[in-house]
Amino acid sequence: MAGTGKKWLIGCGAGCGVSILLSILLSVGGALFMTRPMNKAVNAQKELAAEFGAREDFTPPPRLTPQRIKAFLAVRQELMGSCSQFEGFVSDFQAMEELDSGEGDPQIGEVMGGVKGVMGAVFGLVSALGEVTRVRNQALHEHGMGMGEYTWIYILAFNSYLEKEPNTGIDSRNGHGYRGKKLRLMSTLMENHAVALEKAGNPEAARIWRDEIGRLKRVDEGVPFSGIRLPDGLAESFAPFRKYLEKYYCPAMAEFDLDLIEKKGMSFHAD
């Protein structure tokens, strides 16, 4: 779920092994109420991909129009009803981490109480993650947007323009910048955008994007145009919508916002 490969759960402190337990539950089909929302999310995802293609196939046009930003905001608005629920999950996991990192040995009652709290959070989180992913995928389809375009606008709007730290949420080890698969995906979208700029007769703008791709590859982690002005008038495009972008951002859900859910047998994987 979080960390490398987004396994279903981070280490939960005090060696409670929840990720192992959850993996067993899902693989044997013992938690039907959890697998049902996951299956719905996967089905909605398949419909979205059939309509709009894979994320990396999206070619961002030379100019980001207000209409596309409005479509993005409409999707985000539908997701915000789940924000407080995810904030509760974050609190539960942070409480267990604090217990594990405290001085001295915790009392057995504290440990058992913490484990019970995390166990409850695990079951609730999996169901909630499946549901919020389903809602996102269906909202994207309704508003004529694929995951590639959603990812493109999300990162540029929230991380580059508003300078929100990526991947915040349950795993306190996340944050700082995109890396791995997400960084490669963003670099691919940036190259697609550079090609579109060249075809539109703007090779100088294309060079700026390719220079930024090179910088991200060298550091192997980061956010496009972090700390510097966005090119191509993007800041001006986002400016009229700033208060809505702020309103429809949820740090507690950020590490899951761009994930796809894959089903392998009876198990699920988010990445």
Side-chain angles (χ1 to χ4, degrees):
M1 178 176 304
T4 302
K6 286 286 181 75
K7 299 302 180 183
W8 273 127
L9 192 64
I10 63 172
C12 60
C16 63
V18 179
S19 59
I20 298 174
L21 172 62
L22 184 56
S23 176
I24 293 172
L25 284 172
L26 289 177
S27 23
V28 301
L32 184 60
F33 75 99
M34 291 192 294
T35 60
R36 185 177 291 115
M38 286 294 175
N39 280 319
K40 290 182 178 179
V42 170
N43 290 337
Q45 183 176 290
K46 288 179 179 177
E47 294 177 4
L48 189 66
E51 179 74 18
F52 297 100
R55 293 179 291 185
E56 59 272 16
D57 293 337
F58 174 68
T59 296
R63 178 173 173 266
L64 179 60
T65 65
Q67 290 74 20
R68 301 319 296 158
I69 300 175
K70 288 178 181 178
F72 172 80
L73 288 170
V75 175
R76 291 300 304 174
Q77 184 178 17
E78 293 194 36
L79 297 175
M80 291 309 292
S82 299
C83 186
S84 60
Q85 186 179 18
F86 276 79
E87 289 171 343
F89 295 140
V90 170
S91 296
D92 289 338
F93 284 98
Q94 286 178 344
M96 191 59 182
E97 286 187 351
E98 290 172 3
L99 178 64
D100 186 48
S101 61
E103 294 182 2
D105 295 325
Q107 299 297 313
I108 184 64
E110 292 179 303
V111 173
M112 293 305 295
V115 170
K116 183 178 179 181
V118 171
M119 290 293 293
V122 168
F123 284 90
L125 175 59
V126 173
S127 179
L129 179 57
E131 176 62 14
V132 77
T133 304
R134 179 194 66 78
V135 170
R136 181 202 68 193
N137 293 341
Q138 290 187 346
L140 284 169
H141 197 274
E142 291 168 4
H143 292 284
M145 180 174 288
M147 273 300 296
E149 185 179 11
Y150 180 74
T151 300
W152 175 252
I153 298 177
Y154 182 104
I155 294 178
L156 291 178
F158 289 144
N159 306 130
S160 299
Y161 176 62
L162 294 183
E163 299 182 331
K164 304 293 186 182
E165 187 176 54
N167 300 319
T168 56
I170 289 172
D171 190 347
S172 61
R173 297 167 294 184
N174 279 342
H176 306 300
Y178 291 102
R179 51 190 177 271
K181 184 179 290 187
K182 292 291 194 321
L183 183 61
R184 292 192 295 273
L185 171 61
M186 190 60 188
S187 296
T188 297
L189 295 176
M190 292 166 71
E191 174 58 28
N192 293 349
H193 181 56
V195 171
L197 287 167
E198 284 181 331
K199 290 181 178 179
N202 197 344
E204 182 61 25
R207 183 189 61 78
I208 292 172
W209 284 91
R210 288 192 172 114
D211 286 347
E212 184 63 5
I213 293 171
R215 184 190 70 82
L216 290 173
K217 286 183 177 180
R218 287 192 297 273
V219 298
D220 203 29
E221 179 182 55
V223 169
F225 303 102
S226 178
I228 60 177
R229 180 176 174 80
L230 283 168
D232 304 329
L234 279 171
E236 290 77 10
S237 297
F238 288 130
F241 304 98
R242 186 182 184 101
K243 70 175 182 179
Y244 296 104
L245 290 169
E246 293 278 7
K247 181 179 180 180
Y248 298 144
Y249 181 74
C250 178
M253 295 196 301
E255 67 181 289
F256 309 113
D257 274 334
L258 300 178
D259 278 353
L260 298 180
I261 294 178
E262 298 177 2
K263 183 177 181 181
K264 297 180 179 180
M266 288 298 294
S267 64
F268 298 87
H269 179 78
D271 205 354

